[in-house]
């Protein structure tokens, strides 16, 4: 909670490694609470594996970034335990299909969302090979955090306002599986596993 990573006004190009989980241009992996961290005002383009990945991290701010020609999901919220992150004023253009990671990356979303308890305001998603905004909600977290007792598909939306999606090959907004906000199990904040 006291440490901070701030990436600002940086150009990142030809980064990320295909066929390798976690090899993303910008990745917050298992950080826990990142209240003092942000990714702001960056250009992330021509990448081989995503643009920004949020994995096991809460309270992160992703603001005013441009992602262009990224392979796979561009702004990626990974396992369904990531909450209270703010993605605002980001632009994602020409998100490209990738056959090197998840099946869903073959029809990628510029914004791939696995937990609705995050804020999405004033973002733009255009020209994706798949979706603009994709809520892929399951009944339990997936991957590394599958042990956490929460139900992403039953949680309420924190905020989704003034977002625009156009010229995407599939949907501008897709809610996959189901989304029925209801009473779920209590959320347990992700924390690093013992080595």
């Amino acid at each position: 909670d006291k440490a901070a990573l701030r990436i600002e006004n940086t150009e990142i190009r030809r980064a990320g490694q295909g066929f390798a989980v976690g090899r993303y241009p910008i990745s917050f992996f298992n950080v826990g609470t990142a209240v003092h961290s942000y990714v702001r005002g960056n250009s992330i383009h021509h990448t081989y594996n995503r643009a920004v990945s949020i994995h096991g991290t809460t309270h992160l701010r992703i603001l005013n970034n441009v992602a262009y020609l990224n392979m796979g999901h561009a702004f990626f919220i990974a396992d369904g335990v990531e909450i209270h992150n703010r993605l605002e004023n980001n632009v994602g253009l020409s998100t490209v299909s990738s056959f090197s990671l998840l099946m869903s990356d073959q029809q990628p979303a510029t914004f791939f969302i696995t937990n609705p308890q995050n804020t999405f305001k004033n973002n733009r998603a255009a020209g994706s090979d798949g979706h603009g905004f994709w809520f892929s909600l399951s009944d339990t977290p997936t991957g590394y955090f599958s042990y956490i007792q929460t139900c992403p598909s039953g949680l309420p939306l924190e905020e989704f306002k003034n977002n625009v999606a156009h010229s995407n090959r599939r949907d501008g907004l897709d809610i996959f599986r189901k989304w029925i906000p209801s009473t779920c199990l209590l959320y347990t904040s992700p924390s690093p596993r013992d080595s």
Side-chain angles (χ1 to χ4, degrees):
D1 187 28
K2 295 180 182 180
L5 173 61
R6 297 175 179 144
I7 303 171
E8 186 169 17
N9 300 327
T10 302
E11 178 186 20
I12 300 170
R13 65 185 170 108
R14 296 187 181 145
Q17 181 180 354
F19 299 98
V21 173
R23 304 290 191 190
Y24 311 126
I26 297 176
S27 179
F28 284 78
F29 179 77
N30 206 13
V31 173
T33 302
V35 94
H36 302 292
S37 297
Y38 59 76
V39 176
R40 183 168 62 196
N42 301 290
S43 168
I44 310 155
H45 61 92
H46 294 87
T47 68
Y48 305 110
N49 197 351
R50 311 205 191 296
V52 178
S53 175
I54 304 170
H55 193 232
T57 301
T58 66
H59 299 88
L60 177 63
R61 292 167 292 157
I62 308 295
L63 311 167
N64 307 315
N65 299 286
V66 175
Y68 173 68
L69 276 177
N70 305 101
M71 294 182 72
H73 307 302
F75 296 95
F76 180 69
I77 298 178
D79 287 341
V81 297
E82 300 80 11
I83 62 169
H84 307 307
N85 297 294
R86 300 184 67 82
L87 287 85
E88 297 181 20
N89 301 309
N90 298 291
V91 176
L93 304 164
S94 301
T95 304
V96 179
S97 296
S98 174
F99 297 88
S100 67
L101 207 53
L102 302 175
M103 291 291 292
S104 61
D105 287 300
Q106 295 176 19
Q107 305 224 348
T110 301
F111 292 85
F112 187 80
I113 304 158
T114 57
N115 191 313
Q117 288 199 307
N118 292 286
T119 295
F120 302 89
K121 288 173 55 178
N122 304 313
N123 296 293
R124 306 293 181 258
S128 172
D129 281 351
H131 312 273
F133 297 86
W134 184 358
F135 284 86
S136 181
L137 308 175
S138 61
D139 291 336
T140 60
T142 60
Y144 192 78
F145 294 102
S146 60
Y147 65 94
I148 290 183
Q149 302 287 310
T150 191
C151 174
S153 66
L155 297 173
L157 179 63
E158 190 165 281
E159 188 171 10
F160 191 88
K161 183 177 179 181
N162 294 330
N163 297 293
V164 174
H166 62 84
S167 305
N168 297 294
R169 188 166 291 161
R170 295 198 47 142
D171 305 304
L173 172 63
D174 185 16
I175 299 173
F176 184 67
R177 293 190 185 101
K178 64 180 181 180
W179 187 5
I180 306 170
S182 62
T183 304
C184 281
L185 298 172
L186 293 176
Y187 176 82
T188 304
S189 181
S191 60
R193 288 186 175 174
D194 296 327
S195 303

